[in-house]
Amino acid sequence: MGVVDQAFIQAQEHRPAKSSSTYAEGIPLIDLSSPDGLVSEIGNACKNWGFFQVVNHGVPLEKRQKLEDSSRKFFGLSSEEKRMIRRTEQQVLGYYDTEHTKNVRDWKEVFDFVAKEPLLVPASPDPHDKELLELHNVWPQYPPELKEASDEYVKELEKLAFKLLELIALSLGLPANRFHSFFRDQTTRVRLNHYPPCPAPDLALGVGRHKDGGGLTILFQDDVGGLQVKRKSDGEWVTVKPTPDAYIVNVGDIIQVWSNEAYESVEHRVMVNSEKERYSIPYFFNPAHYTMVEPLEELTNEQSPPKYKTYSWGKFMMNRRLSNFKKLNVENIQISHFKISELADKLEGALSINN
């Protein structure tokens, strides 16, 4: 194997195993055109895996292929051309090639844009700062069709996202439209990913282990594959086999909190290899920045009290975003920091020390 910069090297315990090419058995493949048992299938998938694949989803193949082709053309540009629209802490949309996950650099380059603009987000993670930023997409000169392809694709993915959200609501015993109001001023983001061949795929990862902090993620991955999920039953990393024209769906932290842990956001990562490049397109379906996230009242009671305290999605999002631009000395913010049981344990420990 070759050598990579130290910044890309994962800690020993997080490096991919040499046997990591084994495909997972059991990740649900759900046909959205078949109404029989669909709600229970979605519910079981969210509960047991946190991940599932969907086919017959209604997204026209040509819309996805048009964006995929545009993505390949963009990433084929020279570094100098791509960096003309490089992301900064002030302009957080566009091209980026030095992102960190869990404080280790990812072996990838990305292009980010938002589904609806202008996008309003908090100016800082400071809870007392009420200032808002207005974000606008930035587009490269080449390929000229990238913006149009992106706009067309986003319209189709939004339809699918709301359909999945309704099925998830029904599976929790809620009205189909229970979550709709949270997404009226959505902060949905789309990312084009390119993972170049890596000379040391046993040391680096395309994206390190993480959980998605938002609502719902809908992913297209090409036939190279590389997505791995941490299986809930035994904690093993298993690879999601690419299924032609399927989307991979996973629930994010927000649905974990709304459902009061009936459903769990599951850790996942992306492998790289030394021979093939990989492309993927995740669609991050996220609520309005002003959303205060907490367990839903309908899903909590005396026997099942809320497991999380309320937090601001916008402030959470901006706190997370800071870690994309620099290596931090501490772990970035997680929903575990808002877990009531942990807060109670810490308080109890502090009281015992003081006594």
Side-chain angles (χ1 to χ4, degrees):
M1 285 295 172
V3 177
V4 295
D5 187 283
Q6 184 69 32
F8 293 102
I9 297 179
Q10 296 283 328
Q12 185 70 47
E13 66 270 25
H14 299 305
R15 294 175 190 172
K18 297 192 184 302
S19 60
S20 291
S21 60
T22 303
Y23 285 126
E25 296 292 333
I27 291 182
L29 180 65
I30 299 175
D31 184 346
L32 293 183
S33 68
S34 176
D36 295 337
L38 187 55
V39 171
S40 61
E41 277 191 81
I42 293 285
N44 289 334
C46 291
K47 182 178 180 180
N48 299 325
W49 280 92
F51 269 81
F52 54 94
Q53 295 193 75
V54 294
V55 293
N56 292 321
H57 39 66
V59 178
L61 178 60
E62 65 272 14
K63 302 288 188 185
R64 193 207 74 219
Q65 288 179 332
K66 185 176 179 180
L67 181 56
E68 190 182 0
D69 292 343
S70 299
S71 171
R72 290 174 183 267
K73 289 179 183 178
F74 171 73
F75 287 120
L77 296 174
S78 68
S79 295
E80 292 74 19
E81 289 174 292
K82 287 181 287 192
R83 287 173 178 165
M84 289 176 67
I85 54 167
R86 194 171 189 269
R87 277 168 36 187
T88 66
E89 288 189 50
Q90 290 70 43
Q91 171 54 53
V92 299
L93 300 172
Y95 174 76
Y96 204 58
D97 59 354
T98 56
E99 192 162 82
H100 290 74
T101 301
K102 304 287 187 183
N103 285 323
V104 180
R105 188 172 167 186
D106 297 327
W107 190 271
K108 71 172 189 286
E109 55 179 347
V110 308
F111 176 79
D112 285 335
F113 61 95
V114 294
K116 295 183 183 296
E117 59 175 338
L119 179 70
L120 294 178
V121 296
S124 79
D126 182 348
H128 303 293
D129 184 0
K130 304 302 182 185
E131 183 183 357
L132 295 177
L133 291 178
E134 193 174 276
L135 302 183
H136 294 266
N137 290 324
V138 292
W139 300 101
Q141 291 186 337
Y142 182 85
E145 69 271 18
L146 178 57
K147 181 182 185 304
E148 181 183 358
S150 300
D151 290 344
E152 292 176 358
Y153 185 76
V154 160
K155 290 176 184 176
E156 299 298 334
L157 263 288
E158 183 179 70
K159 296 175 193 173
L160 175 58
F162 273 111
K163 180 175 183 176
L164 292 169
L165 202 65
E166 290 176 359
L167 290 167
I168 289 171
L170 290 170
S171 74
L172 289 166
L174 302 168
N177 65 353
R178 177 62 176 89
F179 299 120
H180 281 210
S181 62
F182 295 118
F183 293 84
R184 187 171 293 118
D185 298 312
Q186 60 185 265
T187 55
T188 297
R189 177 171 54 92
V190 185
R191 166 166 286 184
L192 308 179
N193 282 319
H194 174 226
Y195 303 91
C198 177
D202 56 332
L203 300 178
L205 288 168
V207 182
R209 72 199 192 284
H210 68 286
K211 297 184 178 185
D212 291 348
L216 199 64
T217 302
I218 305 174
L219 172 75
F220 163 73
Q221 68 167 347
D222 65 14
D223 58 1
V224 174
L227 175 67
Q228 288 197 318
V229 175
K230 197 168 190 179
R231 189 163 51 199
K232 289 180 66 174
S233 60
D234 57 10
E236 288 294 313
W237 286 105
V238 293
T239 303
V240 182
K241 184 177 182 179
T243 300
D245 198 30
Y247 282 100
I248 301 167
V249 182
N250 65 283
V251 298
D253 288 344
I254 290 177
I255 287 181
Q256 177 170 323
V257 174
W258 280 340
S259 72
N260 206 31
E261 288 189 355
Y263 299 155
E264 184 182 350
S265 173
V266 173
E267 207 166 36
H268 51 287
R269 66 186 187 184
V270 174
M271 306 274 287
V272 288
N273 64 60
S274 59
E275 299 174 2
K276 296 180 179 179
E277 60 184 344
R278 174 183 183 260
Y279 295 87
S280 70
I281 308 173
Y283 173 95
F284 301 101
F285 192 48
N286 296 330
H289 75 86
Y290 50 77
T291 302
M292 300 304 293
V293 183
E294 60 186 347
L296 296 180
E297 185 178 358
E298 304 97 302
L299 301 178
T300 58
N301 52 45
E302 287 187 13
Q303 290 71 41
S304 180
K307 296 181 180 180
Y308 294 89
K309 68 173 185 175
T310 304
Y311 67 91
S312 161
W313 161 241
K315 295 296 183 181
F316 181 96
M317 173 176 55
M318 294 311 291
N319 195 308
R320 275 280 187 95
R321 194 154 284 175
L322 287 178
S323 68
N324 290 341
F325 296 95
K326 61 189 75 174
K327 185 170 182 177
L328 306 176
N329 294 322
V330 295
E331 181 185 31
N332 62 1
I333 195 167
Q334 307 291 331
I335 59 163
S336 59
H337 296 137
F338 300 95
K339 193 153 185 185
I340 289 174
S341 60
E342 291 187 8
L343 291 171
D345 291 344
K346 288 176 183 177
L347 178 60
E348 186 178 343
L351 290 172
S352 65
I353 291 173
N354 291 334
N355 290 335

